[in-house]
Amino acid sequence: MNNPVREEEWAAWMRSAIEGDSYAYHKFLTAVTPHLRAIARRRCDQFGASASEAEEVVQEVLLTIHLKRGTWDSSRPLGPWISAIVRNKVVDSLRRRGRQVVVPLEDVVDTLESHEGIAVSDQIDIKHILEKLKDPQRTIVQSISIEGASIRETADQLEMTEVAVRVALHRALKRLATLYSEHAT
């Protein structure tokens, strides 16, 4: 993020959202989504991935921001935290599709902090969100986005084709994004 005024505004909304302000959260998500889309497209282009992959990454990033917003250290800049999530989700997406990805060390220096895992409140939040999905979408999101399984592994586990798993994942992430925007208003 190269705009310090915008970043501070987003950070203020995120702080309020963490404290329970759903209006601030809605404003944050509405403002940040086009930025996420631009970063995801740029990263996917960099690695030769399609625009549809970039859109899937955006949906996964929004889900991750929602689930892990409580892990953001509000005394630190928001931009590197968001950029790290996008970078990680792009890499995850490409690896799930069987591509080897090498991320330059300088791209991750700002985010080489210890991660404490998922807080109990976030685990409850994850469970609540997943309950809104029907199977097999719930199982697919759990397997791929939370447990880190590949599309192929998930397809084998559910006795589905990889294409069917990708379609179900995309639809599930789209459904979750809709639920977030409805909940935030």
Side-chain angles (χ1 to χ4, degrees):
M1 248 182 255
N2 297 331
N3 185 333
V5 173
R6 177 177 67 182
E7 182 171 348
E8 185 47 48
E9 182 176 49
W10 290 358
W13 289 336
M14 181 62 106
R15 284 184 200 97
S16 295
I18 290 169
E19 293 173 6
D21 184 341
S22 63
Y23 179 69
Y25 192 46
H26 177 71
K27 285 172 44 176
F28 169 76
L29 291 175
T30 301
V32 80
T33 300
H35 177 73
L36 297 175
R37 193 166 281 120
I39 294 173
R41 284 185 181 150
R42 190 169 48 248
R43 291 262 184 197
C44 284
D45 284 346
Q46 177 184 5
F47 293 110
S50 69
S52 64
E53 266 185 89
E55 193 55 37
E56 284 182 35
V57 166
V58 170
Q59 298 304 316
E60 286 192 31
V61 168
L62 289 169
L63 177 62
T64 301
I65 287 172
H66 179 73
L67 296 174
K68 297 194 174 204
R69 65 188 181 271
T71 67
W72 170 59
D73 179 352
S74 63
S75 68
R76 299 182 56 91
L78 183 62
W81 185 75
I82 290 173
S83 294
I85 293 171
V86 173
R87 182 192 56 252
N88 293 341
K89 291 303 173 185
V90 167
V91 169
D92 290 349
S93 176
L94 295 173
R95 285 184 178 152
R96 280 194 302 264
R97 286 163 177 73
R99 296 185 187 169
Q100 184 174 5
V101 181
V102 178
V103 179
L105 183 59
E106 54 272 7
D107 283 0
V108 295
V109 168
D110 290 337
T111 58
L112 291 176
E113 302 170 352
S114 63
H115 294 281
E116 301 167 11
I118 300 174
V120 172
S121 61
D122 288 337
Q123 290 174 2
I124 293 167
D125 211 11
I126 291 169
K127 184 178 178 186
H128 177 72
I129 288 167
L130 289 177
E131 287 173 354
K132 295 182 185 286
L133 295 175
K134 295 179 182 175
D135 269 332
Q137 288 181 342
R138 179 184 318 120
T139 303
I140 290 169
V141 170
Q142 175 81 31
S143 177
I144 294 170
S145 297
I146 297 172
E147 297 169 4
S150 70
I151 296 283
R152 176 174 288 150
E153 292 167 335
T154 304
D156 289 346
Q157 173 192 352
L158 297 175
E159 299 178 354
M160 296 173 67
T161 66
E162 290 181 41
V163 171
V165 169
R166 282 191 182 101
V167 169
L169 176 64
H170 179 72
R171 288 180 180 163
L173 295 174
K174 193 171 184 176
R175 171 80 175 125
L176 290 171
T178 300
L179 289 170
Y180 295 148
S181 64
E182 288 172 358
H183 179 70
T185 56

